Amino acid sequence: MTNINRADTFMLGGRTVKRMGYGAMQLAGPGVFGPPKDRDAAVKVLREAVESAVDHIDTSDFYGPHVVNQLIREALHPYPDDLVIVTKIGARRGEDASWLPAYSPEALTQAVHDNLRNLGLDVLDVVNLRIMFDPYGPAEGSIEAPLTVLADLQRQGLVRHIGLSNVTPTQIAEGRRICEIVCVQNMYNIAHRADDALIDDLARNGIAYVPFFPLGGFSPLQSSTLSDVARRLDATPMQVALAWLLRRAPNILLIPGTSSVAHLRENLASAEIDLPGDVLQELDGLGWSS
Ligand SMILES: NC(=O)c1ccc[n+]([C@@H]2O[C@H](COP(=O)([O-])OP(=O)(O)OC[C@H]3O[C@@H](n4cnc5c(N)ncnc54)[C@H](OP(=O)(O)O)[C@@H]3O)[C@@H](O)[C@H]2O)c1
């Protein structure tokens, strides 16, 4: 059994990235809306991530909106050559902080330009099309129209690579007939495993799977098994949850989100945790897949 360490990598948009990255959504204000309570602290988290060799940051211009991308620019621009910034388009925020679809050609084009401006880039490394037929989980329906717009923006040189988020296997297959899809970002964690078969299929095709809510998101993971295992391994439950994801499949890239330097350090250190076979079996029993 090999130990996962921070040097473990996978391909993301033609670049090799470490499997332990960072998700920036938690840096906005409450409800992912407005500015953070402590701007300096948010900048510190971003700088510490990159100083700790994180080379994959996940963001969107609809976090804040605009706030998180502007923080990333303030903290990290000019960016290290090896940093891959992945953003997403396809949604917008209502004045009441709601999450709304934004798929018209004008909205998608505007979103790409907003990301470029707020991140301070000439071209975006990877853009995920976030599908919003049901904002809370994948729902069937053709993605051809918005994806064709994004593929056109790629042809114009504004976007290097394209991914999909909140999608079904049928939509991924449809997407792959339109353009190359380099990553899929769906909800998945040790307790919520609806995408088990999909992850293995993407691994066979060399496509990265980037689970969102790896720690449970707005409802952090809680389980007596997770706590017991953590105690035995001298780790925290969140570290065990991340270590399990790293063991789950080689194409899983992690983007745990945090607004705290202490949690960032803890999350990065989970890449060093070895999970013996019997522990893995115990943890495998935690999930449900519907
Ligand atoms: N494509 C999509 O639709 C979509 C949806 C949601 C998220 N995302 C992306 O996925 C990333 C990850 O998701 P997420 O940030 O929402 O959820 P997450 O990573 O599952 O969990 C984040 C929550 O866990 C807490 N936390 C983090 N590390 C911890 C630790 N070591 N110990 C205890 N608590 C800890 C954070 O609070 P603290 O700030 O206090 O640490 C925060 O409340 C986001 O940042 C975003 O980039 C994408």
Side-chain angles (χ1 to χ4, degrees):
M1 202 161 296
T2 52
N3 195 8
I4 295 289
N5 62 52
R6 284 185 213 186
D8 262 345
T9 58
F10 194 77
M11 290 300 281
L12 178 62
R15 317 258 291 270
T16 301
V17 295
K18 297 189 184 69
R19 294 183 59 211
M20 182 60 78
Y22 171 70
M25 187 179 90
Q26 302 293 339
L27 296 179
V32 199
F33 206 67
K37 266 182 266 160
D38 184 341
R39 195 177 176 88
D40 290 345
V43 166
K44 272 192 192 128
V45 171
L46 285 162
R47 290 195 175 141
E48 171 123 0
V50 167
E51 281 158 16
S52 307
V54 164
D55 58 10
H56 167 204
I57 292 180
D58 187 81
T59 184
S60 174
D61 211 54
F62 50 70
Y63 296 158
H66 314 301
V67 169
V68 169
N69 278 350
Q70 288 166 357
L71 276 167
I72 290 173
R73 179 181 187 158
E74 176 185 335
L76 303 177
H77 197 280
Y79 301 112
D81 289 343
D82 66 348
L83 180 64
V84 176
I85 299 179
V86 179
T87 189
K88 59 190 85 65
I89 64 173
R92 67 180 176 86
R93 307 303 295 277
E95 279 174 19
D96 57 353
S98 52
W99 302 82
L100 303 166
Y103 291 141
S104 69
E106 296 74 26
L108 294 168
T109 305
Q110 181 67 49
V112 163
H113 284 285
D114 286 348
N115 274 282
L116 287 168
R117 187 183 63 256
N118 286 319
L119 287 167
L121 290 168
D122 297 326
V123 51
L124 300 170
D125 292 327
V126 183
V127 176
N128 285 325
L129 179 64
R130 212 295 181 176
I131 299 302
M132 298 286 289
F133 298 151
D134 174 354
Y136 301 104
E140 293 298 355
S142 174
I143 62 170
E144 182 182 352
L147 190 57
T148 302
V149 173
L150 182 51
D152 279 345
L153 292 162
Q154 182 183 39
R155 271 189 288 276
Q156 289 169 34
L158 301 176
V159 172
R160 284 199 185 91
H161 298 279
I162 292 177
L164 294 172
S165 177
N166 200 38
V167 281
T168 67
T170 307
Q171 288 164 335
I172 296 167
E174 183 188 27
R176 293 182 70 198
R177 290 192 291 273
I178 295 167
C179 60
E180 188 191 1
I181 300 298
V182 300
C183 56
V184 170
Q185 189 174 117
N186 279 1
M187 178 179 173
Y188 182 85
N189 58 48
I190 194 167
H192 180 96
R193 295 191 211 159
D195 275 354
D196 267 330
L198 174 63
I199 290 170
D200 297 333
D201 185 52
L202 294 175
R204 282 190 289 275
N205 286 288
I207 297 174
Y209 182 87
V210 188
F212 73 77
F213 293 167
L215 299 173
F218 298 113
S219 319
L221 293 169
Q222 274 185 313
S223 130
S224 53
T225 306
L226 211 48
S227 301
D228 286 352
V229 167
R231 240 186 323 273
R232 292 199 316 263
L233 296 179
D234 198 18
T236 70
M238 295 310 197
Q239 286 180 315
V240 173
L242 294 176
W244 180 86
L245 281 169
L246 287 175
R247 287 299 302 269
R248 171 60 188 78
N251 60 328
I252 288 187
L253 297 176
L254 294 187
I255 50 163
T258 182
S259 54
S260 134
V261 166
H263 284 167
L264 173 73
R265 288 178 186 158
E266 193 179 309
N267 297 344
L268 296 179
S270 65
E272 313 291 342
I273 293 173
D274 193 16
L275 298 178
D278 57 330
V279 169
L280 266 182
Q281 237 177 349
E282 210 177 328
L283 293 172
D284 282 343
L286 275 177
W288 55 275
S289 58
S290 55

